[in-house]
Structures are given as C-alpha cells and as structure tokens.
Amino acid sequence: MTTKFLGATLALLAVFPAFAADVQGDPLAPTSRWSAYSSGRAQTSPMGWSSWNAFATDIDEDKILGSAQALVDSGLARKGYRYVNIDDGWWLQRRASDGELVIRAERFPSTVRAGGLPSFRPFTDRLHAMGLKAGIYSDLGRNTCSQAYSPDDSDLPKGSVEEREVGLYGHIDQDISLFFSAWGFDFIKIDGCGLRAYAAGSEKVMSGAYRELKPLLDMDSVARSDIPGVQSLFRQIDAALIRNNPDGDFVLSLCIWGAGNVRAWGKDFGNISRTSDDINPTWGRLLTNFDSAAKRALYAHPGSWNDPDMLFIGKGDFDADHLTEARSHLSMWAMINAPLMIGMDLRNATPALLEVFGNEEVIALNQDPAGHQAVVAFDSGEVQIFVKTLSTGEKAVALFNRSAAPMAVDLTAAHLKFRDDLDVGLVDVWNGRKQSFRKQVRLHLEAHQTLVFKARGARVLAEGLYLSEQPGNVNPAVDGVRWPAPDPTIHRSAFGWQGTRGSGERPIYAGWGGAQPDSAPFGEALRIGGKKFETGIGVLANSRLEVRNQGYRQFTAIVGVNDSARDERHAVTFTVYGDGKVLATSRALKWGEEGQRISVDVSGVKIVELVARAPIDDPASLPVTWAEAALLSGSAPAQVSQH
Ligand code: GLA
C-alpha cells in the first residue's frame, strides 16, 4: 500500500472496522478474493496444552515437559493435542546492550549455553522429537499481563525499567525472528495488556516501575480503542511471522479478549482470536466465555477461529468430581470449533479426565475438515440447541442445559434442517448409543448436561446447502457495523476474585449487530414483508459477504429489508457477484415490501459476493435478509423475479 492511500485507508478502517482488505476504494466493491486470514497452519482449530490455567507464572521446564510427556503417554498427542504452549512467566529481562530477550534459565535449565544467552532451541527440539509442537507467548505492548496484574513480583522480569520491557512493542522483527528462526517455536500467543494497563495515570506507571504507553485498548469502551493502531501492530507481526517461517508452519493466536471490536476483525488478522476475557473454573464463567463466541459462526473459518479461551477441565466446577460439567465444556468447545487447549497439570490427571479429553468422536467434531462452527437452532435462557454441518453431510447436534435443573428437551427434524417424514438416526458421541426418530424426540438432560449426537437424515435441501449450514464458507468481509456496540446477549458472570463489589460486569464485547446465520443481526427473526423465514443470513445494509463456492452451480436467495428495520424510508439494492462480475441486481427494496427471488448460475465461480447497498449513514437501522440463501448443485438460467 502506498503512503498516498494510507490516510484514506485508516479513515475507512475507522468507519468500517470489520473491513480489513483492499480498502483503497469502495469497501463494498467486489474483490473476488477470500479475505479472512489464511497464513499459518490452522486449517482446523489448534489442539494442545498451555501452562497458564495450571501454573500461571509459576512455570518451569519439569512442569511443562511433564505435561508434554503425559500428552504422549496418554495417547492424547496421537489424538491431536500437539501444541505445548508456554504462557506468561518465562522472561528474565531484555538485555540492555542489544535488546535480546533473556530466559529465566534457573526455571529452564536446558536453555543454558556456554558463552551465550540461554536459548529455547534444546527445549523445542525435545518437544519436536516427541512429535509435538512448541508455543511461546508475548505481548503487543512493552509490558505484559503478569506485570500489570500479578499479586507479587517473584516471577516477573527483573532489572531496570527498560530491562523489564519484554513485550514486542518496538522489537517485533527482533523477537519474532528469535522465537521462530532461532528458537524454533511453531505457535505464538500475543496478549494485549501492554496496550491496556499502562496509561499515564495508572498505578503501575505512577509507581515509576513502568513506562507509560498510551492505551490503544479500552476494555470498557470500544469507542476509546484505537482499532487501526492495534491492527497495524498485528499486520507487522504477521509479516515477521511469514518472513521467519518460510514453510508457513506457524499459528498466530490473538489475545485481546474481545476488546476493540476484535470479534469482528480477528478473523482477518490471525489464526485464533480471543472473544472474551479469561475463563475461570466456574460454570458461570464458562457460559460467559462460550456466549462470546457461540453466535459468531460467520466469523470463524478454516484458518481463522473464534477462541473463547482455554479449557479449564480438571479444576473447580470441571474437576474429576464434576464430569458432567467437564463433558459439557469439551462438547461445546468442540461444537464451535474452539481451540482445544488443555489447561491442567496432566501429571495429575485421573483416568476419567483423560477419557473426557480423549473422546475421539468429540474431537472429530471439532476437527471436522469442513470447518463449520455450530449454529444456534434453538435458544432460551436455560437450553440451547446447536447444529453443525459435517464434511460427511451428516450433522452434529448438541443440546446444552445451561441451567442447574434437569430439563426435558424436544429435538425436531426441523432443528437439523432434515425432512420430518423420514427417519433421523442419532448416535450419542459420549456413549455410542443409537436411536432414531421421526419428526421429533423428547430427550432428558441432567443439570448442566450436554447431549451430543451425530445425526443422519434426509436434508430438506437435498440438492445443496443453505449458507447458514456452511458458515465456514461465508465471510462477512464488511458486516455493516459502523459504530461497534457491546453485545448484550452474553451471559454476565461474577468474577470470583472480585465478588459482588462494584456494579458488576457490563456488556463489553462489541460486535452486536454482526452478521448471523438463521437470524437477523440483533437476534430477531428473519422476516421480509410479513413473511417469516427459518433460514437465511441476516446482516446490516452496506455489507459485503464473501462466499466460497465449492463446486455448486446455482445460488438462490429471497432478498429484502428485514421487518425489524427501523428505517422505512430508504431502499436497499442487493447485488450478487461471481468472481468480481455482476450476476444479478435486485430492484431497490424498502421495508414492508415483499422479498425478491434471485437465482443465478455460479458454475465455475470460486467466490460469490453478496452486497447490500443503501444510501444511508447508519446501517444499524436497516437490517437486511438473504432468506433461504443457498448454493445448489443444479444449474438454472439466470433470473431475478418477483417472489
Ligand atoms: C491474559 C490472558 C491469559 C493469560 C494471562 C497471562 O490475562 O488473557 O490467557 O495469558 O494474560 O498473564
């Protein structure tokens, strides 16, 4: 990008924060490209182990290698848990003379070298020899999360103010080259506390122990976050990763906890992206973290996954005495294609816990190559039903009892988008039990229990797939959210360590109004001109969706303004592009008007783009619907007709 365009680009990024690629002109212009992040190696979500939930900063080589050995000995590594990630706590300091990072060698004896700074190379060699991959941790700012939040400084970097600045800020190329080229790591988690906790008036900076870094991230206020500033740092990191990994074998994990509207754009900047603040081993917090990712199915794709944080199985509400909750945790993380990162000291895992982690049927759902995050099929405060399309054409369905009371739940063929005049076969992935039903079946859930089935039936849409059945192929490149607002639907838990002091957790995770499968953007039903649709994509006006076409020949949808729109005045025009060329354009459609059917031939087209345009400033007032949007295998003459 030339500097000439930089000013305009930043302005556009500020206006369309979800939009990250090719912003040199009209962000709704078709690009004929898939713009979600595709560098690195995360075709399926990464699986492994991380030191943080088990040990916080009190880490050492024995603890980490002990869990690594347990991954191998228990067979979990063979089942996919391959990444062994060092989290916060490994630094001693940054050497003043040349800025080289120094490891806490007393904790990692294998790093000691005669005549040089300690090196993690023997450590990563050891993990690689065990068939594992190695992960490291850093921060976007000068300082880290533990430096901001640890109760004491015994595990924190030592030395002068500058020597304790161990984060990436100002050292991106140097550190990434050290981690990947010199030390041989395969994975990096990048936290953002350095961009959040070191404001001029903060206690840390006032103490004189840390330098000020004007915060680019404000957890409480997306409007006070400098989104282009944060994105620019991630871009530099991405470029350094590509330079230092000629084979492309790396994973970039973004950890800014849903701040700065990252739930909308993380997919364009890294392989996994945290959607919420830290998980803790309580049921309430599990719900919060799950919710932060659960309705973001269109924002996750092969190569770019939602990350509701690591597993806390093995502790608290998910320990060996709470296997129902432990199974629910793994089940729901698997259904939404979350990274499966074990967070317990595996040297102490009971056989029952190892069995939970090692359930191959559940792992297979998470690692399904089609990469479709589960979509909500039923939603209430107590029970949710999530359905995930698998690469085999089967579905996985999870019935999730969020409540502390047993529940009876009716699962219908319609939830699965299966025909209700034919049998539906279910296999319980936790115990292998089979059953079948027609139309509907009543199932019983214990408190906090999740039932997960692989389901086989006749799809309602026999000759194709609705877009809402294939969210992994739909990328809201521009979702129309112009002024990001916090999502009020995320369960708000009480932080254990804070009790009920203060006013409690406010809605803080922006992304409200983003694109949704089978729902309008603010959670309302899909309805055009009084007619309700059970399936489709709901999105705001002034949006552009990229759809990967995997060999289908026809695209169809019924388009119109959703009945939930507040704007009755302005008209929306819907255009379908195939590899950049206009295939069909609708009439200008206003609120209350009947939907218009669009049906176009997409044979040979790789990227279909769905653009809804309206001459308005605030797309939030104008949700639109691509009802029954589907890719079909039959071809049809291009037509745009009244529905
Ligand atoms: C942040 C992250 C956690 C962990 C800690 C380490 O809080 O969100 O996952 O990495 O920092 O200090």
Side-chain angles (χ1 to χ4, degrees):
M1 189 190 304
T2 62
T3 8
K4 198 170 96 201
F5 287 114
L6 199 61
T9 303
L10 292 181
L12 278 165
L13 281 169
V15 174
F16 295 101
F19 184 65
D22 288 339
V23 276
Q24 298 188 2
D26 172 8
L28 300 184
T31 66
S32 64
R33 299 197 305 115
W34 179 257
S35 63
Y37 194 74
S38 56
S39 302
R41 287 276 162 82
Q43 201 52 26
T44 59
S45 222
M47 296 171 63
W49 179 91
S50 161
S51 57
W52 181 252
N53 289 349
F55 304 117
T57 51
D58 186 15
I59 47 175
D60 64 39
E61 200 163 287
D62 284 348
K63 289 174 175 167
I64 296 173
L65 290 174
S67 282
Q69 193 61 50
L71 283 179
V72 174
D73 295 345
S74 63
L76 290 177
R78 192 178 39 77
K79 293 176 179 177
Y81 293 94
R82 291 225 168 76
Y83 287 91
V84 171
N85 296 342
I86 306 178
D87 206 282
D88 204 343
W90 63 266
W91 294 279
L92 181 65
Q93 60 177 214
R94 188 183 286 285
R95 185 161 69 177
S97 57
D98 57 2
E100 282 292 288
L101 286 170
V102 188
I103 301 165
R104 288 169 81 193
E106 104 237 4
R107 296 295 186 105
F108 293 92
S110 76
T111 64
V112 175
R113 286 189 303 174
L117 288 183
S119 163
F120 269 125
R121 182 56 91 161
F123 176 85
T124 64
D125 282 349
R126 179 115 171 243
L127 290 175
H128 290 147
M130 293 164 80
L132 300 169
K133 300 256 183 200
I136 188 80
Y137 172 89
S138 192
D139 197 286
L140 286 169
R142 295 192 191 104
N143 295 103
T144 67
C145 291
S146 54
Q147 288 176 315
Y149 301 115
S150 267
D152 68 77
D153 60 5
S154 49
D155 292 329
L156 301 183
K158 304 283 184 282
S160 67
V161 170
E162 280 75 21
E163 284 167 335
R164 284 183 286 100
E165 291 179 347
V166 293
L168 286 170
Y169 200 83
H171 295 272
I172 290 177
D173 291 342
Q174 180 179 17
D175 292 359
I176 297 291
S177 155
L178 180 71
F179 299 153
F180 287 85
S181 292
W183 288 351
F185 282 100
D186 312 292
F187 179 114
I188 186 163
K189 170 173 167 183
I190 300 183
D191 232 316
C193 294
L195 301 185
R196 154 184 178 179
Y198 298 91
S202 65
E203 201 187 306
K204 294 286 162 188
V205 172
M206 299 295 278
S207 75
Y210 297 94
R211 254 204 289 177
E212 177 208 352
L213 187 60
K214 190 169 178 286
L216 301 185
L217 288 168
D218 185 329
M219 232 13 210
D220 298 330
S221 168
V222 64
R224 295 185 65 84
S225 294
D226 176 0
I227 296 169
V230 181
Q231 288 177 332
S232 143
L233 291 172
F234 280 130
R235 278 273 180 259
Q236 292 170 46
I237 290 165
D238 170 57
L241 283 169
I242 290 170
R243 266 200 311 280
N244 285 283
N245 289 281
D247 62 357
D249 188 359
F250 67 86
V251 172
L252 171 55
S253 159
L254 315 187
C255 183
I256 58 168
W257 340 273
N261 196 31
V262 72
R263 296 198 313 146
W265 54 263
K267 66 181 175 59
D268 304 323
F269 288 79
N271 297 114
I272 60 179
S273 176
R274 280 277 295 277
T275 50
S276 68
D277 212 331
D278 295 4
I279 193 165
N280 62 43
T282 64
W283 184 255
R285 194 64 204 173
L286 171 120
L287 295 179
T288 306
N289 282 45
F290 176 70
D291 288 356
S292 71
K295 293 181 184 165
R296 306 294 291 177
L298 295 171
Y299 296 79
H301 320 95
S304 55
W305 308 102
N306 289 319
D307 177 6
D309 205 0
M310 300 167 284
L311 301 169
F312 235 130
I313 294 169
K315 197 145 187 221
D317 288 355
F318 314 102
D319 69 8
D321 295 328
H322 297 88
L323 292 176
T324 298
E325 285 79 3
R327 288 191 199 101
S328 285
H329 191 350
L330 192 77
S331 296
M332 295 321 295
W333 261 234
M335 287 296 287
I336 62 169
N337 296 346
L340 300 181
M341 291 293 172
I342 297 170
M344 74 171 293
D345 182 352
L346 280 176
R347 297 172 303 182
N348 306 327
T350 63
L353 286 171
L354 291 174
E355 215 174 290
V356 172
F357 289 126
N359 183 308
E360 287 179 279
E361 295 292 322
V362 178
I363 293 170
L365 302 184
N366 177 260
Q367 296 290 301
D368 185 79
H372 303 310
Q373 175 171 328
V375 167
V376 185
F378 174 85
D379 203 8
S380 75
E382 291 82 28
V383 175
Q384 291 177 310
I385 300 178
F386 282 85
V387 176
K388 179 185 205 306
T389 308
L390 302 174
S391 51
T392 55
E394 295 164 296
K395 302 268 176 116
V397 56
L399 291 74
F400 179 33
N401 185 0
R402 300 165 65 102
S403 82
M407 300 285 273
V409 176
D410 293 325
L411 173 68
T412 69
H415 287 138
L416 294 153
K417 296 187 170 47
F418 283 163
R419 281 171 55 175
D420 65 4
D421 57 337
L422 293 170
D423 281 353
V424 176
L426 298 178
V427 184
D428 186 318
V429 300
W430 282 106
N431 59 28
R433 259 182 240 136
K434 293 190 176 139
Q435 59 184 307
S436 69
F437 73 93
R438 210 173 263 212
K439 239 183 178 69
Q440 67 178 55
V441 62
R442 173 150 295 194
L443 298 160
H444 292 274
L445 298 178
E446 298 304 324
H448 296 169
Q449 189 183 12
T450 304
L451 289 175
V452 188
F453 302 100
K454 238 159 122 168
R456 189 173 287 189
R459 286 213 304 270
V460 171
L461 191 67
E463 295 302 315
L465 266 189
Y466 291 118
L467 295 194
S468 62
E469 289 178 292
Q470 48 176 325
N473 290 329
V474 180
N475 176 32
V478 183
D479 67 6
V481 176
R482 187 159 171 192
W483 291 286
D487 183 340
T489 67
I490 295 169
H491 175 89
R492 281 178 271 156
S493 50
F495 274 107
W497 54 86
Q498 195 177 302
T500 56
R501 289 190 298 279
S503 52
E505 202 180 25
R506 308 275 188 178
I508 49 178
Y509 306 118
W512 184 223
Q516 291 293 341
D518 294 346
S519 167
F522 298 106
E524 301 98 333
L526 295 175
R527 263 165 56 116
I528 306 174
K531 182 171 161 43
K532 190 168 173 191
F533 296 92
E534 291 304 328
T535 183
I537 303 292
V539 65
L540 299 178
N542 288 339
S543 55
R544 181 172 64 84
L545 307 170
E546 297 164 354
V547 181
R548 255 194 301 226
N549 177 22
Q550 294 174 322
Y552 290 102
R553 299 174 67 183
Q554 196 189 345
F555 170 80
T556 65
I558 297 163
V559 298
V561 171
N562 204 66
D563 284 359
S564 59
R566 280 177 282 127
D567 185 331
E568 299 183 11
R569 245 168 12 99
H570 292 101
V572 182
T573 309
F574 296 78
T575 308
V576 180
Y577 298 88
D579 291 335
K581 295 196 201 71
V582 176
L583 301 180
T585 301
S586 75
R587 286 184 291 114
L589 293 161
K590 283 190 187 170
W591 183 89
E593 286 183 49
E594 200 178 352
Q596 184 177 353
R597 177 175 288 281
I598 292 183
S599 178
V600 288
D601 190 336
V602 292
S603 312
V605 166
K606 294 204 169 56
I607 300 287
V608 177
E609 281 164 277
L610 308 179
V611 174
R613 285 176 192 271
I616 50 162
D617 283 339
D618 182 8
S621 62
L622 202 46
V624 302
T625 294
W626 298 84
E628 295 177 3
L631 284 164
L632 307 174
S633 42
S635 72
Q639 53 155 317
V640 182
S641 62
Q642 191 69 32
H643 175 58

